[in-house]
Amino acid sequence: MDIKNIRISTRLTIAFSVLLVVMGIIAVAGLIGLYSAGAASKEIVDERYARIALLTSFSVFH
């Protein structure tokens, strides 16, 4: 089956379908990245900042 023998509407449908699949993959990758960034931010705020605040409460320059 040669690509030149396929009707234009079929070729456009195939191209649009491929485009939608690629956009879906990019969207999923973006959501995974957002979740990862959110988890890292939560760790910084909840765990690391609490330690820093505790250490600065013992500061000599208070």
Side-chain angles (χ1 to χ4, degrees):
M1 178 151 89
D2 192 19
I3 193 78
K4 293 179 182 178
N5 294 334
I6 300 176
R7 294 182 346 183
I8 188 71
S9 62
T10 307
R11 283 187 270 173
L12 286 172
T13 302
I14 292 170
F16 189 68
S17 299
V18 169
L19 183 64
L20 286 176
V21 168
V22 169
M23 287 174 55
I25 292 170
I26 291 171
V28 168
L31 289 174
I32 291 171
L34 283 174
Y35 177 75
S36 174
S41 296
K42 183 170 176 50
E43 177 188 354
I44 290 170
V45 170
D46 292 345
E47 296 175 16
R48 294 183 184 178
Y49 183 74
R51 292 179 195 161
I52 292 170
L54 181 64
L55 287 174
T56 56
S57 68
F58 296 124
S59 176
V60 178
F61 304 111
H62 230 201

